[in-house]
């Protein structure tokens, strides 16, 4: 999501949790290293955030994958 002045909106770890992404930080780091999750941006010191539009795109890709994949017969 873009902010009106052209800057990118950021998502914090708390924002990820609100979006339902509740995996551990270690898992996020592993996914990022493997290219399975958007890479974080370091803000200052140990503060990090993710670009919200990349997180939204990642969630949309998961939804698309879900619609194409049949996991089990019930």
């Amino acid at each position: 999501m873009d902010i009106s002045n052209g800057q990118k909106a950021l998502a914090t770890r708390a924002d990820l949790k609100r979006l339902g992404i509740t995996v551990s930080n270690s898992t996020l780091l592993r996914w990022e290293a493997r290219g399975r999750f958007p890479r974080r941006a370091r803000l200052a010191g140990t503060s990090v955030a993710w670009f919200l539009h990349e997180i939204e795109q990642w969630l949309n890709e998961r939804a698309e994958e879900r619609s194409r994949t049949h996991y089990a017969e019930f």
Side-chain angles (χ1 to χ4, degrees), residues 17-63:
K17 287 181 180 181
R18 278 192 286 279
L19 290 170
I21 304 167
T22 58
V23 297
S24 69
N25 193 52
S26 297
T27 297
L28 284 177
L29 286 168
R30 200 170 32 255
W31 286 358
E32 289 174 32
R34 294 177 182 164
R36 296 184 57 209
F37 193 78
R39 292 183 60 202
R40 62 189 70 202
R42 185 165 311 282
L43 302 179
T46 60
S47 297
V48 298
W50 293 261
F51 290 111
L52 185 57
H53 74 279
E54 292 178 357
I55 299 300
E56 290 171 339
Q57 179 181 358
W58 182 82
L59 288 169
N60 288 335
E61 289 168 1
R62 302 292 70 76

